[in-house]
Amino acid sequence: MRLGDNDTILDLPPNQRPRANLKSRQRWAQLICEYLQDLPRQLDTIRAILEIKDYTKIKKQAHRIKGTSGTYRLDAISESAAQLERSADAQNPDKIATTLNNIVSLVEMESGRLNSHAALSSDGPERTADG
Amino acid sequence: MRLYPLTAPKGLQMAELVPHILTVDDDPHLVAVIEHFVLEWGYTHCGVNSSAQMWKELEEKNPSIILLDIALGDADGITLVSQLRQQFPSIPVIMITVHATIETAVRSVKAGAYDFICKPLDFERLRIEIGKAIAHNYLSLQVKAFQSAALNTDFHGMVGRSEPMRNVYRLIETVAPTDATVLLLGETGTGKELAARAIHECSKCCNEPFIAVNAPAIPHELIESALFGHEKGAFTGAHRQHIGFCEQANGGTLFLDEFCEMDYGVQAKLLRFLEDHIVQRVGAKSPHKVSVRVIAATNRDPNVQIENNKLREDFYYRLSVVGIELAPLRERPADIALLTRYFLNIAAAKYGKNMPSVMPKAMRLIEGYDWPGNVRQLEHLLDQIVIVNSTTKITPEMLPPEIANAASRRRLNTDTQIRSNTDKCMPSIPEMEQLLIIQALELTANSVRAAAKHLGLSEATLYRKIRKYGISRTSIKARTAGKTRG
């Protein structure tokens, strides 16, 4: 199960998606959607922390985003969160701000992709993993 | 692929035995994605976001495994895992970490983690790890419980330290080394077969066979052949030679359970066998001698059976060379707590769960109940509680209504007695009504129609009142059956 940098699990052929029955796929898409909707709030929190220059807290938040976005196979976001973590370690506020902006763009891009995917795959049930 | 060896008892849904996973991670989105997959794999799941929520959840439910984030917001995962190991040593903990360093792995395992898995989560690996941890937990629980069960029995598999039980142990020790025929008497579920096995284990023939024959389970027309055997072609359908139970037990012990259920003709043949120990298979040309020690058991009153022409008097006297009576559980309440712990331990191991503790109030109810089905009834109840509930504590609400009602009825009886003795105040009308209904049902062998007639009520009214007061007809039935036997 290999994914490209900009792929999500929804880009996999239906029979390779985790337990890819229709209900499961819909729930999975819903979970990604909820996560993408919540990410800007998390990024705002990091911005607020950056104001007070609490780099330990920023690192912790970035660490969390790295793990969870990676689990959702949002690899580009996960990679940027790792970059954010490194910048917090280096206590580099400019780099942190740039990376935060970068993540915002990635979130918007992923959300757009997810919406167009949902529109395309609403034609009918696809073949399940179990056949 | 499910690694968890599930065996659902008859009548129970597999879902009731499904392992429960607890995920502890401060990111609710990660908990949500784990839940998505864990439910797909057929487990039940609960996710929490803090250590405080985790401890609260552990008070209520007993998970099969815990998935714990190493960098939890309000606590350090490594510290938490060592606390978990101390308080819940049998629940495996799988650590979730972003940093997959050797140092983290070593620290986690040293603190007591079963394994660790890295973020981003590989769900195939997570599925395998969960399966492995559950199977491992199940096996280690079983080994521990059976070891402890073996160590905790008081006398050759029998459990109980009360005076009646100590008398039974003493009698068994005295009679076991002899060849004397033993008659075991006791209500159903008092452990007659266990006592028979204990006699066999303490006897000089302990390494020889122990053959148990449950008479009511064998059709009347086959019992003679089952006991004494037959030759090939002895009768229609005898396609091969059969060695009977009396011969199979040669050198060892033959246990005749519920011997009162055997018909007169078979009793005569067994009497003869007890006299001369000679077996002749049906259709055989010559008899041969065997050396067998016979232990018999019944839950009926042999004297009543003799009066009713169901039991041969000579057969009974030949069997009762030494008689041992096993006390019903209600006459040895001191053993109930011990038996409860013993059976909970076994049930928890059998169903791959952690052994729950019994809350004092629930234990008081258990100890105060009459247990018409005796030890067997207690064992089945605890089995059922362990299967149905995934909790660490057994509460009064988990007990069937007849146990709680028995306690309130006893209180009612006592209260009524005290009140009439002191003549200070009378019991309330509903209390008296409840008592009268119970007495009427007991008097009429649990027949609602007869009880209604006796009380001057319609059947429908009596049914309504039985429901209103939560009167258990099952326990009345069992009690009246016990009285009939006694």
Coordinates of all heavy atoms in Angstrom, one line a residue, chain A residues 1-81:
Chain A
M1 N 0.8 -1.2 0.0 CA 0.0 0.0 0.0 C 0.9 1.2 0.0 O 1.2 1.8 1.0 CB -0.9 0.0 1.3 CG -2.0 0.9 1.2 SD -3.3 0.5 2.4 CE -2.6 1.1 3.9
R2 N 1.3 1.7 -1.2 CA 2.2 2.8 -1.3 C 1.4 4.0 -1.8 O 0.6 4.0 -2.7 CB 3.3 2.5 -2.3 CG 4.5 1.8 -1.7 CD 5.6 2.7 -1.2 NE 6.5 2.0 -0.3 CZ 6.7 2.4 0.9 NH1 6.1 3.4 1.4 NH2 7.5 1.7 1.7
L3 N 1.7 5.1 -1.1 CA 1.0 6.4 -1.5 C 2.0 7.4 -1.9 O 3.1 7.5 -1.4 CB 0.2 6.9 -0.3 CG -1.0 6.0 0.2 CD1 -1.5 6.6 1.5 CD2 -2.1 6.0 -0.8
G4 N 1.6 8.2 -2.9 CA 2.4 9.3 -3.3 C 2.3 10.5 -2.3 O 1.5 10.4 -1.4
D5 N 3.2 11.5 -2.5 CA 3.2 12.6 -1.5 C 1.9 13.3 -1.3 O 1.5 13.7 -0.2 CB 4.3 13.7 -2.0 CG 5.7 13.2 -1.7 OD1 5.8 12.1 -1.0 OD2 6.6 13.8 -2.2
N6 N 1.1 13.4 -2.4 CA -0.1 14.1 -2.3 C -1.3 13.2 -2.3 O -2.5 13.7 -2.5 CB -0.2 15.1 -3.5 CG 0.9 16.1 -3.5 OD1 1.3 16.6 -2.4 ND2 1.6 16.3 -4.6
D7 N -1.1 12.0 -2.1 CA -2.3 11.0 -2.1 C -2.8 10.8 -0.7 O -2.2 10.9 0.3 CB -1.8 9.6 -2.6 CG -1.4 9.7 -4.0 OD1 -1.8 10.6 -4.7 OD2 -0.6 8.9 -4.4
T8 N -4.1 10.5 -0.6 CA -4.8 10.1 0.6 C -5.2 8.6 0.3 O -5.1 8.2 -0.8 CB -6.0 10.9 1.0 OG1 -7.0 10.7 0.0 CG2 -5.7 12.4 1.0
I9 N -5.7 8.0 1.3 CA -6.2 6.6 1.1 C -7.3 6.6 0.1 O -7.5 5.6 -0.6 CB -6.7 6.1 2.5 CG1 -5.5 5.6 3.3 CG2 -7.6 4.9 2.3 CD1 -5.8 5.0 4.6
L10 N -8.0 7.7 -0.1 CA -9.1 7.7 -1.1 C -8.6 7.6 -2.5 O -9.3 7.3 -3.4 CB -9.9 9.0 -0.9 CG -10.7 9.0 0.4 CD1 -11.4 10.4 0.6 CD2 -11.8 7.9 0.4
D11 N -7.3 7.8 -2.7 CA -6.7 7.7 -4.0 C -6.3 6.3 -4.4 O -6.0 6.0 -5.5 CB -5.4 8.6 -4.1 CG -5.8 10.1 -4.0 OD1 -6.6 10.5 -4.8 OD2 -5.3 10.7 -3.0
L12 N -6.4 5.4 -3.4 CA -6.1 4.0 -3.6 C -7.2 3.3 -4.4 O -8.4 3.8 -4.3 CB -5.9 3.2 -2.3 CG -4.6 3.5 -1.5 CD1 -4.8 2.9 -0.2 CD2 -3.4 2.9 -2.3
P13 N -6.9 2.3 -5.2 CA -8.0 1.5 -5.8 C -8.9 1.0 -4.7 O -8.4 0.7 -3.6 CB -7.3 0.4 -6.5 CG -5.9 0.7 -6.5 CD -5.6 1.7 -5.5
P14 N -10.2 0.9 -5.0 CA -11.1 0.6 -3.9 C -10.7 -0.7 -3.2 O -10.9 -0.8 -2.0 CB -12.5 0.4 -4.6 CG -12.3 1.2 -5.9 CD -10.9 1.2 -6.2
N15 N -10.2 -1.7 -3.9 CA -10.0 -3.0 -3.2 C -8.7 -2.9 -2.4 O -8.4 -3.9 -1.7 CB -9.9 -4.1 -4.2 CG -8.8 -3.9 -5.2 OD1 -8.2 -2.9 -5.3 ND2 -8.5 -5.0 -6.0
Q16 N -8.0 -1.8 -2.4 CA -6.8 -1.7 -1.6 C -7.0 -0.8 -0.4 O -6.1 -0.7 0.5 CB -5.6 -1.2 -2.4 CG -5.0 -2.3 -3.3 CD -3.8 -1.7 -4.1 OE1 -3.1 -0.9 -3.6 NE2 -3.7 -2.2 -5.3
R17 N -8.1 -0.2 -0.3 CA -8.4 0.7 0.8 C -8.7 -0.1 2.0 O -9.3 -1.2 1.9 CB -9.6 1.6 0.5 CG -9.3 2.6 -0.6 CD -10.6 3.4 -1.0 NE -10.4 4.0 -2.2 CZ -11.3 4.5 -3.0 NH1 -12.6 4.3 -2.6 NH2 -11.1 5.1 -4.1
P18 N -8.5 0.4 3.2 CA -8.7 -0.4 4.4 C -10.2 -0.8 4.5 O -11.0 0.1 4.5 CB -8.3 0.5 5.6 CG -7.6 1.6 5.0 CD -8.0 1.7 3.5
R19 N -10.5 -2.1 4.5 CA -11.9 -2.6 4.6 C -12.8 -1.7 3.8 O -13.8 -1.1 4.3 CB -12.4 -2.6 6.1 CG -11.6 -3.5 6.9 CD -11.8 -5.0 6.5 NE -13.2 -5.3 6.6 CZ -13.7 -6.0 7.6 NH1 -12.9 -6.5 8.5 NH2 -15.0 -6.3 7.6
A20 N -12.5 -1.7 2.5 CA -13.1 -0.6 1.6 C -14.6 -0.9 1.2 O -14.9 -0.9 0.1 CB -12.3 -0.4 0.4
N21 N -15.4 -1.2 2.2 CA -16.8 -1.3 1.8 C -17.4 0.2 1.8 O -16.7 1.1 2.4 CB -17.7 -2.2 2.7 CG -17.6 -1.8 4.1 OD1 -17.9 -0.6 4.4 ND2 -17.3 -2.7 5.0
L22 N -18.5 0.4 1.2 CA -19.0 1.7 1.0 C -19.2 2.5 2.3 O -18.7 3.6 2.5 CB -20.3 1.7 0.3 CG -20.9 3.1 -0.1 CD1 -20.0 3.8 -1.1 CD2 -22.3 2.9 -0.7
K23 N -19.8 1.8 3.3 CA -20.0 2.5 4.6 C -18.7 2.9 5.3 O -18.6 4.0 5.8 CB -20.8 1.5 5.5 CG -21.6 2.2 6.6 CD -22.4 1.2 7.3 CE -22.8 1.7 8.7 NZ -23.3 0.7 9.6
S24 N -17.7 1.9 5.2 CA -16.5 2.2 5.8 C -15.7 3.4 5.1 O -15.2 4.2 5.8 CB -15.6 0.9 5.7 OG -14.3 1.2 6.1
R25 N -15.8 3.4 3.8 CA -15.2 4.5 3.1 C -15.8 5.8 3.4 O -15.1 6.8 3.5 CB -15.3 4.2 1.5 CG -14.3 3.2 1.0 CD -14.1 3.4 -0.5 NE -15.3 3.5 -1.2 CZ -16.0 2.6 -1.7 NH1 -15.7 1.3 -1.4 NH2 -17.1 2.8 -2.4
Q26 N -17.1 5.8 3.5 CA -17.8 7.0 3.8 C -17.4 7.5 5.2 O -17.2 8.7 5.4 CB -19.3 6.8 3.8 CG -19.9 6.8 2.4 CD -21.3 6.3 2.3 OE1 -21.8 5.7 3.3 NE2 -21.9 6.5 1.2
R27 N -17.3 6.6 6.2 CA -16.9 7.0 7.5 C -15.4 7.5 7.5 O -15.1 8.5 8.2 CB -17.0 5.8 8.4 CG -16.5 6.0 9.9 CD -17.4 6.9 10.7 NE -16.8 7.2 12.0 CZ -16.8 8.4 12.5 NH1 -17.3 9.4 11.9 NH2 -16.2 8.5 13.7
W28 N -14.6 6.8 6.7 CA -13.2 7.2 6.6 C -13.1 8.6 6.1 O -12.4 9.5 6.6 CB -12.4 6.2 5.8 CG -11.0 6.5 5.6 CD1 -10.4 7.0 4.4 CD2 -9.9 6.5 6.5 NE1 -9.1 7.2 4.6 CE2 -8.8 6.9 5.9 CE3 -9.9 6.1 7.9 CZ2 -7.5 6.9 6.5 CZ3 -8.6 6.1 8.5 CH2 -7.5 6.6 7.8
A29 N -13.8 8.9 5.0 CA -13.8 10.2 4.4 C -14.3 11.3 5.4 O -13.8 12.4 5.5 CB -14.7 10.2 3.1
Q30 N -15.3 10.9 6.1 CA -15.9 11.8 7.1 C -14.9 12.1 8.2 O -14.7 13.3 8.6 CB -17.1 11.1 7.8 CG -17.9 12.0 8.7 CD -18.9 11.2 9.5 OE1 -19.2 10.1 9.2 NE2 -19.4 11.8 10.5
L31 N -14.1 11.1 8.6 CA -13.1 11.3 9.7 C -12.0 12.3 9.2 O -11.6 13.2 9.9 CB -12.4 10.0 10.1 CG -13.3 9.1 11.0 CD1 -12.6 7.7 11.1 CD2 -13.5 9.7 12.3
I32 N -11.5 12.1 7.9 CA -10.5 12.9 7.3 C -11.0 14.4 7.2 O -10.4 15.3 7.6 CB -10.1 12.5 5.9 CG1 -9.4 11.1 6.0 CG2 -9.0 13.4 5.3 CD1 -9.0 10.5 4.7
C33 N -12.3 14.5 6.8 CA -12.9 15.8 6.6 C -13.0 16.5 8.0 O -12.6 17.7 8.1 CB -14.3 15.5 6.1 SG -15.1 17.0 5.5
E34 N -13.4 15.8 9.0 CA -13.5 16.4 10.4 C -12.1 16.8 10.8 O -11.9 17.9 11.4 CB -14.0 15.4 11.4 CG -15.5 15.2 11.3 CD -16.1 14.0 12.1 OE1 -15.3 13.4 12.8 OE2 -17.3 13.7 11.9
Y35 N -11.1 16.0 10.5 CA -9.7 16.3 10.9 C -9.2 17.6 10.2 O -8.7 18.5 10.8 CB -8.8 15.2 10.7 CG -7.4 15.4 11.1 CD1 -7.1 15.7 12.5 CD2 -6.3 15.4 10.2 CE1 -5.8 16.0 12.9 CE2 -5.0 15.7 10.6 CZ -4.8 16.0 12.0 OH -3.5 16.3 12.4
L36 N -9.5 17.6 8.9 CA -9.0 18.8 8.1 C -9.8 20.1 8.6 O -9.2 21.2 8.6 CB -9.3 18.5 6.6 CG -8.3 17.5 6.0 CD1 -8.8 17.2 4.5 CD2 -6.9 18.0 5.9
Q37 N -11.0 19.9 8.9 CA -11.8 21.1 9.4 C -11.2 21.6 10.8 O -11.3 22.8 11.1 CB -13.3 20.7 9.6 CG -14.0 20.8 8.3 CD -15.4 20.2 8.3 OE1 -15.8 19.7 9.4 NE2 -16.1 20.1 7.2
D38 N -10.7 20.7 11.6 CA -10.2 21.0 12.9 C -8.8 21.6 12.9 O -8.4 22.3 13.8 CB -10.3 19.8 13.8 CG -10.0 20.2 15.3 OD1 -10.6 21.2 15.8 OD2 -9.1 19.6 15.9
L39 N -8.0 21.2 11.8 CA -6.6 21.6 11.8 C -6.4 23.1 11.8 O -5.5 23.6 12.6 CB -5.9 21.0 10.5 CG -5.2 19.7 10.7 CD1 -4.6 19.2 9.4 CD2 -4.0 19.8 11.7
P40 N -7.1 24.0 11.1 CA -6.9 25.4 11.2 C -7.0 25.9 12.7 O -6.2 26.8 13.1 CB -8.0 26.0 10.4 CG -8.3 24.9 9.4 CD -8.2 23.7 10.1
R41 N -7.9 25.3 13.5 CA -8.0 25.7 14.9 C -6.7 25.4 15.6 O -6.2 26.2 16.4 CB -9.2 25.0 15.5 CG -9.5 25.4 16.9 CD -10.4 24.4 17.6 NE -9.9 23.0 17.6 CZ -9.0 22.5 18.4 NH1 -8.5 23.3 19.4 NH2 -8.6 21.2 18.3
Q42 N -6.2 24.2 15.3 CA -4.9 23.8 16.0 C -3.8 24.7 15.5 O -2.9 25.0 16.4 CB -4.6 22.3 15.6 CG -5.6 21.3 16.1 CD -5.2 19.9 15.9 OE1 -4.0 19.5 16.0 NE2 -6.2 19.0 15.6
L43 N -3.8 25.1 14.3 CA -2.7 26.0 13.8 C -2.8 27.4 14.4 O -1.8 28.0 14.8 CB -2.8 26.1 12.2 CG -2.6 24.7 11.5 CD1 -2.8 24.9 10.0 CD2 -1.2 24.2 11.8
D44 N -4.1 27.8 14.6 CA -4.3 29.1 15.3 C -3.8 29.0 16.7 O -3.2 30.0 17.2 CB -5.8 29.5 15.4 CG -6.3 29.9 14.0 OD1 -5.4 30.2 13.1 OD2 -7.5 30.0 13.8
T45 N -4.0 27.9 17.4 CA -3.4 27.7 18.8 C -1.9 27.9 18.7 O -1.3 28.5 19.6 CB -3.8 26.3 19.3 OG1 -5.2 26.1 19.1 CG2 -3.4 26.1 20.7
I46 N -1.3 27.3 17.7 CA 0.2 27.3 17.6 C 0.6 28.8 17.4 O 1.6 29.3 18.1 CB 0.7 26.4 16.5 CG1 0.4 25.0 16.9 CG2 2.3 26.6 16.3 CD1 0.8 23.9 15.8
R47 N -0.1 29.5 16.6 CA 0.2 30.9 16.3 C 0.1 31.7 17.7 O 1.0 32.6 17.9 CB -0.8 31.5 15.3 CG -0.4 31.2 13.9 CD -1.0 32.2 12.9 NE -0.8 31.7 11.6 CZ -1.6 30.9 10.9 NH1 -2.8 30.5 11.5 NH2 -1.3 30.4 9.7
A48 N -0.9 31.4 18.4 CA -1.1 32.1 19.7 C 0.1 31.8 20.7 O 0.6 32.7 21.4 CB -2.4 31.7 20.4
I49 N 0.5 30.6 20.6 CA 1.6 30.2 21.5 C 2.9 30.9 21.0 O 3.8 31.2 21.8 CB 1.8 28.6 21.5 CG1 0.5 28.0 22.1 CG2 3.0 28.2 22.4 CD1 0.5 26.5 21.9
L50 N 3.0 31.0 19.7 CA 4.2 31.7 19.1 C 4.3 33.1 19.6 O 5.5 33.6 19.8 CB 4.1 31.6 17.6 CG 5.3 32.1 16.8 CD1 6.6 31.3 17.1 CD2 5.1 32.1 15.3
E51 N 3.2 33.7 19.8 CA 3.2 35.1 20.4 C 4.0 35.2 21.7 O 4.7 36.1 22.0 CB 1.8 35.6 20.6 CG 0.9 35.7 19.4 CD 1.1 36.9 18.6 OE1 1.1 38.0 19.2 OE2 1.4 36.8 17.4
I52 N 3.8 34.1 22.5 CA 4.5 34.1 23.8 C 5.8 33.3 23.8 O 6.4 33.1 24.8 CB 3.5 33.6 25.0 CG1 3.0 32.2 24.6 CG2 2.4 34.6 25.2 CD1 2.3 31.5 25.8
K53 N 6.1 32.9 22.6 CA 7.4 32.2 22.3 C 7.6 31.0 23.3 O 8.7 30.8 23.7 CB 8.6 33.2 22.5 CG 8.5 34.3 21.4 CD 9.8 35.1 21.4 CE 10.0 35.9 20.2 NZ 8.9 36.7 19.7
D54 N 6.5 30.2 23.5 CA 6.7 29.0 24.3 C 7.0 27.9 23.3 O 6.1 27.2 22.8 CB 5.4 28.7 25.1 CG 5.6 27.5 26.0 OD1 6.5 26.7 25.8 OD2 4.7 27.4 26.9
Y55 N 8.3 27.7 23.0 CA 8.7 26.7 21.9 C 8.4 25.3 22.3 O 8.2 24.4 21.4 CB 10.2 27.0 21.5 CG 10.3 28.3 20.9 CD1 11.0 29.4 21.5 CD2 9.9 28.6 19.6 CE1 11.1 30.6 21.0 CE2 10.0 29.8 19.0 CZ 10.6 30.8 19.7 OH 10.8 32.0 19.1
T56 N 8.5 25.0 23.6 CA 8.2 23.6 24.0 C 6.8 23.2 23.7 O 6.5 22.1 23.2 CB 8.4 23.5 25.6 OG1 9.6 24.2 25.9 CG2 8.5 22.1 26.0
K57 N 5.9 24.1 24.0 CA 4.4 23.9 23.7 C 4.2 23.7 22.2 O 3.5 22.9 21.7 CB 3.6 25.0 24.2 CG 3.0 24.6 25.6 CD 1.9 25.6 25.9 CE 1.3 25.3 27.3 NZ 0.5 26.4 27.8
I58 N 4.9 24.6 21.4 CA 4.8 24.5 19.9 C 5.2 23.2 19.4 O 4.6 22.5 18.6 CB 5.6 25.7 19.3 CG1 5.0 27.0 19.6 CG2 5.6 25.5 17.7 CD1 5.8 28.2 19.2
K59 N 6.4 22.8 20.0 CA 6.9 21.5 19.6 C 5.9 20.3 19.9 O 5.7 19.5 19.0 CB 8.3 21.2 20.3 CG 9.0 20.1 19.8 CD 10.3 19.8 20.6 CE 10.9 18.5 20.2 NZ 12.0 18.1 21.0
K60 N 5.3 20.4 21.0 CA 4.4 19.4 21.4 C 3.2 19.3 20.5 O 2.7 18.3 20.0 CB 3.9 19.7 22.8 CG 3.6 18.5 23.7 CD 3.4 18.9 25.1 CE 3.5 17.6 26.0 NZ 3.4 18.0 27.4
Q61 N 2.7 20.5 20.1 CA 1.5 20.6 19.2 C 1.9 20.1 17.8 O 1.1 19.4 17.2 CB 1.1 22.1 19.1 CG 0.5 22.7 20.4 CD -0.9 22.2 20.6 OE1 -1.7 21.8 19.7 NE2 -1.3 22.0 21.9
A62 N 3.1 20.5 17.4 CA 3.6 20.1 16.0 C 3.7 18.6 16.0 O 3.4 17.9 15.0 CB 4.9 20.8 15.7
H63 N 4.2 18.1 17.1 CA 4.5 16.6 17.2 C 3.1 15.9 17.1 O 3.1 14.8 16.4 CB 5.1 16.4 18.6 CG 5.5 15.0 18.9 ND1 6.7 14.5 18.4 CD2 4.9 14.0 19.6 CE1 6.8 13.3 18.8 NE2 5.7 12.9 19.5
R64 N 2.1 16.4 17.7 CA 0.8 15.8 17.7 C 0.3 15.8 16.2 O -0.2 14.8 15.7 CB -0.1 16.5 18.6 CG -1.3 15.7 19.0 CD -2.0 16.3 20.2 NE -3.0 17.2 19.8 CZ -4.0 17.6 20.5 NH1 -4.1 17.2 21.8 NH2 -5.0 18.4 20.1
I65 N 0.4 16.9 15.6 CA -0.1 17.0 14.2 C 0.6 16.1 13.3 O 0.0 15.4 12.4 CB 0.0 18.5 13.7 CG1 -0.9 19.4 14.5 CG2 -0.4 18.6 12.2 CD1 -0.8 20.9 14.2
K66 N 1.9 16.0 13.5 CA 2.8 15.1 12.7 C 2.2 13.7 12.8 O 2.0 13.0 11.7 CB 4.2 15.2 13.2 CG 5.2 14.3 12.3 CD 6.6 14.4 12.8 CE 6.9 13.7 14.0 NZ 8.3 13.7 14.4
G67 N 2.0 13.2 14.0 CA 1.6 11.8 14.2 C 0.2 11.5 13.6 O 0.0 10.6 12.9
T68 N -0.8 12.4 13.9 CA -2.1 12.2 13.5 C -2.3 12.3 12.0 O -3.0 11.5 11.4 CB -3.1 13.1 14.3 OG1 -2.8 12.9 15.7 CG2 -4.5 12.7 14.1
S69 N -1.7 13.4 11.5 CA -1.9 13.6 10.0 C -1.2 12.5 9.2 O -1.8 12.0 8.2 CB -1.3 15.0 9.6 OG 0.0 15.0 9.9
G70 N -0.1 12.0 9.8 CA 0.5 10.8 9.1 C -0.4 9.6 9.2 O -0.5 8.8 8.2
T71 N -1.1 9.4 10.3 CA -2.0 8.3 10.4 C -3.1 8.4 9.4 O -3.6 7.4 8.9 CB -2.5 8.2 11.9 OG1 -1.4 8.0 12.7 CG2 -3.5 7.1 12.1
Y72 N -3.6 9.6 9.2 CA -4.6 9.8 8.2 C -4.1 9.8 6.7 O -4.8 10.1 5.8 CB -5.3 11.2 8.4 CG -6.4 11.1 9.5 CD1 -6.2 11.6 10.8 CD2 -7.7 10.6 9.2 CE1 -7.2 11.5 11.7 CE2 -8.7 10.5 10.1 CZ -8.4 11.0 11.4 OH -9.4 10.9 12.3
R73 N -2.8 9.5 6.6 CA -2.1 9.4 5.3 C -2.1 10.8 4.6 O -2.1 10.9 3.4 CB -2.7 8.4 4.4 CG -2.8 7.0 4.9 CD -1.4 6.4 5.2 NE -1.5 5.0 5.6 CZ -1.4 4.7 6.9 NH1 -1.3 5.6 7.9 NH2 -1.5 3.4 7.2
L74 N -2.1 11.9 5.4 CA -1.9 13.2 4.9 C -0.4 13.5 5.0 O 0.0 14.3 5.9 CB -2.8 14.2 5.7 CG -4.3 13.9 5.7 CD1 -5.0 14.7 6.8 CD2 -4.9 14.2 4.3
D75 N 0.3 12.8 4.2 CA 1.8 12.8 4.3 C 2.4 14.2 4.2 O 3.4 14.5 4.9 CB 2.4 11.8 3.4 CG 2.0 10.4 3.7 OD1 1.5 10.2 4.9 OD2 2.0 9.5 2.9
A76 N 1.9 15.0 3.3 CA 2.5 16.3 3.1 C 2.4 17.2 4.3 O 3.3 17.9 4.8 CB 1.9 17.0 1.9
I77 N 1.2 17.1 5.0 CA 0.9 17.9 6.2 C 1.8 17.3 7.3 O 2.4 18.1 8.1 CB -0.6 17.8 6.6 CG1 -1.4 18.5 5.5 CG2 -0.8 18.4 8.0 CD1 -2.9 18.4 5.7
S78 N 1.9 16.0 7.4 CA 2.7 15.4 8.4 C 4.2 15.8 8.3 O 4.9 16.1 9.3 CB 2.6 13.9 8.3 OG 3.4 13.2 9.2
E79 N 4.7 15.9 7.0 CA 6.1 16.3 6.8 C 6.3 17.8 7.2 O 7.3 18.1 7.8 CB 6.4 16.1 5.3 CG 7.9 16.3 4.9 CD 8.8 15.6 5.9 OE1 8.7 14.4 6.1 OE2 9.7 16.3 6.4
S80 N 5.3 18.6 6.9 CA 5.4 20.0 7.3 C 5.4 20.2 8.8 O 6.1 21.0 9.3 CB 4.3 20.8 6.6 OG 4.4 20.9 5.3
A81 N 4.6 19.3 9.4 CA 4.5 19.4 10.9 C 5.8 19.0 11.5 O 6.3 19.5 12.5 CB 3.4 18.5 11.4

